[in-house]
Amino acid sequence: MMERPDLALWDAVILHRPHPSVDALMRQLAVLNVSARAVWPQLDEADAAADVVFFDADSGHDEQFPWPPGFAPMPMIALIGSEAPGRIEWAIRQGSNAHLLKPVGSTGVYSALLVAAHAFQSVRAKSDDIRVLENRLSQRPSVVHAVIVLMRQGARDEAAAMKTLRSIAMNWRMTIEEAAETICNNERQRGA
């Protein structure tokens, strides 16, 4: 379960031209003690420090963001007035984690903030897991080489060498891949 964010510490940026929905959104954010400011026509690098970005899905475009589509460094909430499929698809490509329908009324911002924060954290955690797994996968040739080295050093077979490698990794308090890299580096140094 996600820990509820302390919204009173949050800074929001609203990427939208002046509009009554922006005024209503600013009022709801003020009630939640979220500091907010509206900008138009684009975000700049300093806006990447915001805790959340609300953006106009109706007239927005890729060049308004200082990051590539889908790579926002914070939760993104789309402000949707037109339910045109192309505009909704564009908002999704931007990495929208939640949405609010325009015209924005007197409710909805709190739930949008919580949903966006949770979705963003979930996506970030999965991306981190994927990076770790990709890194481990890229180290697999070292594991194979370390198993061969251990077999040359006396391990009976592949299974015994793998068991030795696991034991070494546990004793050295590192991953199997890190232990394999160390073994391979030592073997290279001896051969040099």
Side-chain angles (χ1 to χ4, degrees):
M1 180 111 189
M2 178 192 93
E3 186 174 313
R4 192 172 319 147
D6 185 357
L7 299 178
L9 302 175
W10 276 32
D11 291 314
V13 174
I14 304 167
L15 179 60
H16 199 292
R17 70 188 70 212
H19 189 274
S21 285
V22 173
D23 299 334
L25 178 55
M26 295 284 276
R27 284 191 298 274
Q28 283 193 58
L29 290 169
V31 168
L32 296 170
N33 293 316
V34 174
S35 67
R37 62 189 179 82
V39 299
W40 189 259
Q42 67 188 39
L43 299 176
D44 61 33
E45 293 294 328
D47 295 320
D51 295 296
V52 63
V53 169
F54 292 85
F55 67 97
D56 183 10
D58 299 328
S59 59
H61 54 89
D62 292 350
E63 294 75 27
Q64 290 182 297
F65 302 96
W67 49 76
F71 289 93
M74 78 288 288
M76 301 274 287
I77 300 175
L79 299 169
I80 300 173
S82 166
E83 293 185 329
R87 296 312 308 169
I88 293 171
E89 289 169 10
W90 177 82
I92 291 169
R93 276 195 314 275
Q94 292 309 311
S96 176
N97 303 107
H99 72 278
L100 279 173
L101 293 177
K102 294 189 288 185
V104 175
S106 60
T107 62
V109 171
Y110 181 70
S111 59
L113 286 168
L114 293 184
V115 167
H118 177 74
F120 181 78
Q121 286 178 355
S122 179
V123 166
R124 175 75 50 101
K126 287 176 184 166
S127 295
D128 291 347
D129 290 346
I130 288 169
R131 270 192 293 282
V132 166
L133 292 172
E134 286 174 340
N135 186 38
R136 289 182 71 185
L137 184 60
S138 72
Q139 293 174 316
R140 282 296 156 171
S142 294
V143 172
V144 170
H145 186 253
V147 166
I148 292 169
V149 168
L150 293 171
M151 287 173 64
R152 282 191 211 132
Q153 292 176 355
R156 294 182 316 273
D157 56 20
E158 184 180 329
M162 194 64 196
K163 184 176 180 181
T164 300
L165 179 57
R166 276 193 212 95
S167 178
I168 290 169
M170 285 178 33
N171 289 336
W172 291 352
R173 296 176 189 245
M174 54 178 59
T175 66
I176 289 173
E177 292 79 12
E178 292 167 337
E181 280 288 328
T182 302
I183 290 168
C184 291
N185 288 338
N186 288 341
E187 181 72 8
R188 284 186 206 109
Q189 288 174 355
R190 276 190 225 134

